Amino acid sequence: MIAVQEFNQVHFIEIDENADGQRVDNFLLKTLKGVPKSRIYRIIRKGEIRLNKKRVKAESKLRTGDSLRIPPIRLQQEDKQVDLSKFDKVQALESCIIEETNQFILLNKPSGLAVHGGSGLSFGVIEGLRALRPKEKFLELVHRLDRDTSGCLLIAKRRSFLTSCHEQLRCKKMRKEYLAVVSGAWNNQFNQVTAPLKKNQLRSGERHVTVDPEGKASDTRFKCLKRFKRHSLVRALPQTGRTHQIRVHALYAGCPLLGDFKYNDNPDEEKVAIELGLKTFLLHANKLTFNLPDSDKRLTFEAPIPPQMNNVIEKLKD
């Protein structure tokens, strides 16, 4: 990644294995942080980006050993990025790291922090980690978690690791385990929910997911771990990765997540959530299991349950 203050000079980047096979535009969007997307596509069209001394198209693929020329780019004052490394929330990510190797970072993501910036958010986990690890040439999300979901989040430090994990996700070899506090007594006849899910876009731009015969095939395995007087603690193992999948499948099973004000519209449950001090639902990715690339070795990591979730569970026991 090129620092903002260095955009005023020509750069020659030698492509390494982490960028092999990547599109030119995608590589530039990740490398030239702080440069508007429209500006990047404009300098590509004008021929100012050169690959091995030749003009190049946005969709052209990079190969290891290629030389990419990046021209001087003058930034307007308002275009310049804020130094995220000075933000307290970014610094706090350091203490959230469960495991770090030369291939990956495994993070216990806090609830309330998005995995990436956008939609009015100045930054997310990936921007924060790039600020904390400026010397890392490659940091990419292996998968995503909702902003209000906490727990295991895997970030690749090598393209080979990212490719391997995506293949494991596709072949259902990566195992994700979640814990959730739901409203009502969980019925064990819903230990597998396969209701198809359809993603809808509201006028506000907000995403809302519904069970719909025309939706995408979805599969979540549930198990009730503990029943309280009016609530339950359940384990969820998603076999597919649809938007809001666990939340909507729990709703379909008749036990929406406590504090999920989007999908749990029961006024009594809303009152309970407020009394418990909840501003959102309790969904925690507590375990993640995957293979290292080209290896049969299975690794399992666990993220401790957040204090607020523990506190709510203790209060529900009473």
Side-chain angles (χ1 to χ4, degrees):
M1 189 184 305
I2 301 174
V4 172
Q5 62 269 25
E6 296 177 351
F7 287 140
N8 59 356
Q9 56 186 319
V10 173
H11 272 80
F12 289 91
I13 298 179
E14 183 174 344
I15 304 303
D16 60 20
E17 61 179 7
N18 286 324
D20 187 77
Q22 196 169 15
R23 285 173 51 127
V24 168
D25 54 352
N26 290 337
F27 177 80
L28 292 173
L29 288 167
K30 293 173 183 176
T31 302
L32 302 179
K33 289 296 179 182
V35 178
K37 188 175 181 179
S38 58
R39 184 93 57 89
I40 289 175
Y41 280 100
R42 186 162 65 247
I43 61 177
I44 294 175
R45 287 195 303 271
K46 292 173 67 176
E48 296 181 54
I49 298 292
R50 296 284 174 137
L51 185 63
N52 300 326
K53 299 183 179 181
K54 297 179 181 179
R55 294 174 69 107
V56 68
K57 294 181 179 179
E59 64 271 18
S60 298
K61 298 291 182 68
L62 298 170
R63 293 288 176 252
T64 302
D66 282 350
S67 177
L68 189 69
R69 177 193 183 273
I70 299 176
I73 303 172
R74 184 177 179 183
L75 287 180
Q76 300 295 327
Q77 188 65 34
E78 61 270 19
D79 290 338
K80 294 186 178 181
Q81 274 193 319
V82 176
D83 183 3
L84 293 179
S85 63
K86 296 179 181 178
F87 285 9
D88 290 342
K89 285 186 178 180
V90 173
Q91 293 293 340
L93 286 176
E94 193 76 55
S95 63
C96 296
I97 295 174
I98 298 172
E99 184 79 11
E100 181 171 8
T101 71
N102 64 346
Q103 297 190 74
F104 67 85
I105 295 175
L106 185 78
L107 196 76
N108 184 6
K109 186 189 84 68
S111 174
L113 182 61
V115 295
H116 60 79
S119 301
L121 302 172
S122 59
F123 73 95
V125 168
I126 194 64
E127 289 84 6
L129 287 177
R130 286 168 180 163
L132 287 176
R133 300 287 187 272
K135 293 183 179 180
E136 289 290 347
K137 295 181 179 179
F138 188 90
L139 283 175
E140 296 294 336
L141 294 163
V142 171
H143 59 104
R144 297 167 186 260
L145 292 177
D146 283 350
R147 181 179 180 181
D148 292 326
T149 301
S150 59
C152 292
L153 180 67
L154 191 58
I155 296 94
K157 297 172 72 173
R158 298 286 184 272
R159 181 166 292 278
S160 56
F161 182 81
L162 180 67
T163 302
S164 171
C165 287
H166 283 173
E167 178 64 18
Q168 291 178 59
L169 286 167
R170 189 182 68 81
C171 297
K172 296 181 172 60
K173 291 183 178 180
M174 184 177 288
R175 177 185 170 97
K176 301 177 185 178
E177 182 176 311
Y178 293 75
L179 296 175
V181 176
V182 300
S183 298
W186 187 269
N187 187 335
N188 283 329
Q189 73 176 2
F190 287 105
N191 279 351
Q192 181 179 13
V193 179
T194 57
L197 301 178
K198 185 177 181 180
K199 184 166 60 177
N200 307 290
Q201 195 86 6
L202 303 180
R203 286 185 179 181
S204 61
E206 191 178 5
R207 292 176 300 176
H208 191 273
V209 179
T210 55
V211 171
D212 191 303
E214 297 181 359
K216 292 183 178 180
S218 307
D219 185 353
T220 310
R221 314 293 167 85
F222 290 96
K223 182 177 181 180
C224 183
L225 301 179
K226 190 177 290 290
R227 288 191 182 89
F228 310 110
K229 187 175 181 180
R230 290 170 47 191
H231 302 86
S232 304
L233 176 66
V234 300
R235 180 173 64 205
L237 302 173
Q239 308 300 302
T240 51
R242 310 302 179 203
T243 300
H244 299 174
Q245 178 175 314
I246 294 173
R247 298 163 64 187
V248 180
H249 274 177
L251 171 65
Y252 181 80
C255 293
L257 270 62
L258 175 65
D260 192 348
F261 303 115
K262 182 190 291 283
Y263 296 112
N264 189 350
D265 58 1
N266 184 319
D268 291 334
E269 286 300 289
E270 182 176 342
K271 183 180 179 181
V272 170
I274 293 172
E275 288 175 350
L276 289 169
L278 292 179
K279 295 181 179 179
T280 186
F281 52 84
L282 295 172
L283 180 61
H284 180 66
N286 73 310
K287 285 186 182 180
L288 184 66
T289 301
F290 57 90
N291 282 21
L292 291 176
D294 303 318
S295 171
D296 293 329
K297 184 178 181 181
R298 296 281 280 174
L299 299 178
T300 297
F301 295 97
E302 186 168 353
I305 297 175
Q308 185 186 36
M309 191 171 190
N310 266 326
N311 290 340
V312 169
I313 290 172
E314 289 302 315
K315 288 179 181 178
L316 292 176
K317 288 180 180 178
D318 299 332

